[in-house]
């Protein structure tokens, strides 16, 4: 085993956090800003790249590791949390928005998981967080994640976050699943991933589901989310008060009555 063997416990339901238990000198890596709380003797350090054992100890190795993260749209830096004490210590990481945290044992997934760029939350030290280039032009332009996705490699635990409810789907050889491009969270390396046009001008223009969907062909495993963050953000933006509007109960019956009987007199 090249990865640190960590224990964990998930807390909560819709706004989850994961509590990781570290033995002395065990380390977990996480995205910058994911920390919720930690015990006193946990040592926090900011590093270039992902700190994996195959990144290389030289300057060029660190720069290449950091460069991969820039390509995926992530920060140059990651944070390591190491237990410098004598007993077991705990560090917790929180979900960035409502959804679920899913532990992924890479040793049971043939050592590799391909996921959307913002899905990774934390992992045992030794897990490599890299770049997965999509070779097909259609996937690159219309797949919702561009030419690149994130790949997690190693034989340890990684924690992936998704919006809403996460659903695991096993695909038999040749079986195809069509998914909204934003709802795809992760897939095993054997999945054949492509993007297809929804078909029909009326459906494309007025269906409200976008022009393209992802086609996933087995064998392999796919994880999908019920509430992509982009969908949540668009609904929040659409419901926000527009410039020049009143913030006193707009859109509600109370707000309508308030405006009917005078409201703000100017």
């Amino acid at each position: 085993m090249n990865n640190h063997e960590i224990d964990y416990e998930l807390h909560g339901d819709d706004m989850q956090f994961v509590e990781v238990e570290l033995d002395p000198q065990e380390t977990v890596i996480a995205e910058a800003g994911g920390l919720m709380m930690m015990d006193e003797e946990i040592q926090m350090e900011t590093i270039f790249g992902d700190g994996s054992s195959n990144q290389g100890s030289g300057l060029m190795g660190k720069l290449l590791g950091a460069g991969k993260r820039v390509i995926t749209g992530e920060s140059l830096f990651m944070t390591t949390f190491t237990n410098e004490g004598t007993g077991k210590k705990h560090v917790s990481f929180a979900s960035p928005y409502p959804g679920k945290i899913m532990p992924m044992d890479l040793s049971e997934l043939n050592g590799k998981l391909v996921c959307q760029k913002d899905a990774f939350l934390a992992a045992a030290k030794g897990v490599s967080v890299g770049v997965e280039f999509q070779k097909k032009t259609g996937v690159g332009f219309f797949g919702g994640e561009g030419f690149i996705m994130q790949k997690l490699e190693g034989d340890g635990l990684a924690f992936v976050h998704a919006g809403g409810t996460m659903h695991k789907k096993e695909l038999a050889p040749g079986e195809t699943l069509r998914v909204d491009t934003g709802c795809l969270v992760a897939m095993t390396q054997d999945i054949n991933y492509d993007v297809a046009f929804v078909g029909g001008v009326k459906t494309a223009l007025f269906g409200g589901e976008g022009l393209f969907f992802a086609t996933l062909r087995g064998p392999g495993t796919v994880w999908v989310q019920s509430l992509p963050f982009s969908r949540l953000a668009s609904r929040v933006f659409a419901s926000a008060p527009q410039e020049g509007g009143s913030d006193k109960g707009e859109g509600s019956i109370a707000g309508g009555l308030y405006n009917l009987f005078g409201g703000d007199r100017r």
Side-chain angles (χ1 to χ4, degrees):
M1 294 287 290
N2 296 320
N3 298 85
H4 289 199
E5 298 182 40
I6 58 175
D7 298 316
Y8 70 92
E9 183 178 358
L10 288 174
H11 298 270
D13 186 16
D14 294 327
M15 291 293 290
Q16 290 186 315
F17 71 93
V18 57
E19 182 183 39
V20 177
E21 182 180 84
L22 299 176
D23 292 327
Q25 299 306 311
E26 279 188 340
T27 300
V28 63
I29 62 173
E31 290 288 358
L35 174 67
M36 177 180 172
M37 59 183 176
M38 62 182 180
D39 289 342
E40 183 178 6
E41 293 182 300
I42 296 289
Q43 180 67 38
M44 182 173 62
E45 181 182 3
T46 300
I47 60 171
F48 278 107
D50 56 19
S52 60
S53 58
N54 60 359
Q55 182 179 305
S57 57
L59 177 61
M60 286 303 298
K62 293 180 180 180
L63 289 175
L64 286 173
K68 291 178 181 178
R69 294 181 50 72
V70 171
I71 292 174
T72 60
E74 303 291 349
S75 168
L76 277 171
F77 304 95
M78 293 191 76
T79 309
T80 64
F81 300 85
T82 304
N83 180 5
E84 299 289 354
T86 56
K88 294 180 181 293
K89 301 296 177 182
H90 300 85
V91 56
S92 299
F93 305 98
S95 304
Y97 52 90
K100 300 293 184 183
I101 297 174
M102 183 71 70
M104 302 287 191
D105 190 344
L106 297 181
S107 65
E108 299 177 356
L109 301 172
N110 296 322
K112 181 179 177 180
L113 182 72
V114 179
C115 58
Q116 65 178 4
K117 291 182 291 186
D118 60 350
F120 173 73
L121 183 64
K125 185 177 182 181
V127 171
S128 172
V129 184
V131 178
E132 180 74 5
F133 287 94
Q134 299 298 332
K135 301 179 179 63
K136 298 181 180 180
T137 305
V139 174
F141 282 112
F142 309 117
E145 298 298 332
F147 282 101
I148 52 177
M149 297 179 76
Q150 242 176 12
K151 64 178 178 181
L152 308 178
E153 293 181 297
D155 56 6
L157 272 175
F159 300 97
V160 173
H161 177 263
T165 299
M166 193 185 303
H167 179 67
K168 179 180 178 181
K169 179 77 173 178
E170 299 283 353
L171 297 183
E175 183 181 1
T176 300
L177 180 68
R178 296 185 292 182
V179 181
D180 181 279
T181 54
C183 291
L184 177 63
V185 177
M187 56 188 171
T188 53
Q189 57 184 321
D190 295 329
I191 291 290
N192 188 323
Y193 177 42
D194 202 354
V195 171
F197 182 63
V198 296
V201 176
K202 185 167 63 175
T203 301
L205 294 179
F206 307 112
E209 300 298 336
L211 299 178
F212 303 91
F213 52 73
T215 59
L216 309 167
R217 180 170 289 106
T221 308
V222 175
W223 288 265
V224 294
Q225 59 186 344
S226 64
L227 183 61
F229 179 72
S230 58
R231 186 178 297 175
L232 174 64
S234 65
R235 295 298 176 89
V236 171
F237 179 78
S239 300
Q242 301 302 309
E243 184 177 355
S246 170
D247 60 354
K248 293 180 173 61
E250 277 195 356
S252 66
I253 296 176
L257 292 174
Y258 177 84
N259 293 327
L260 179 63
F261 290 105
D264 290 332
R265 298 187 182 277
R266 301 179 183 178

